[in-house]
Amino acid sequence: MIANVNRNTKVRRDPFDTLDFIPWNEVREQQVQAANEPILLDDPDAQAELLFSKMFPNRNA
């Protein structure tokens, strides 16, 4: 597919699939919903560290 030629491999490592271009597909909708679920940890310190690592990825560099 021509979309894979223009794909930024640093942002999206996996190649595009046909399901990526069919928005009404149930499998794709489930993948998007699963990706949008929040990550909640039991340990508040671990939760804070996760948030900081996503907001400021180079803060320890």
Side-chain angles (χ1 to χ4, degrees):
M1 292 191 311
I2 194 126
N4 285 322
V5 173
N6 299 315
R7 179 180 92 249
N8 184 349
T9 56
K10 293 179 182 175
V11 175
R12 183 183 176 96
R13 300 207 41 109
D14 296 331
F16 288 108
D17 190 12
T18 53
L19 294 179
D20 293 319
F21 300 99
I22 304 173
W24 60 87
N25 188 311
E26 294 175 7
V27 174
R28 182 72 179 145
E29 289 177 14
Q30 291 173 354
Q31 291 173 345
V32 169
Q33 287 176 353
N36 290 334
E37 289 292 320
I39 299 172
L40 301 175
L41 304 176
D42 292 333
D43 181 19
D45 292 332
Q47 185 75 41
E49 182 60 35
L50 176 65
L51 289 171
F52 283 132
S53 69
K54 296 301 177 185
M55 291 175 18
F56 309 107
N58 297 326
R59 70 185 171 108
N60 291 332

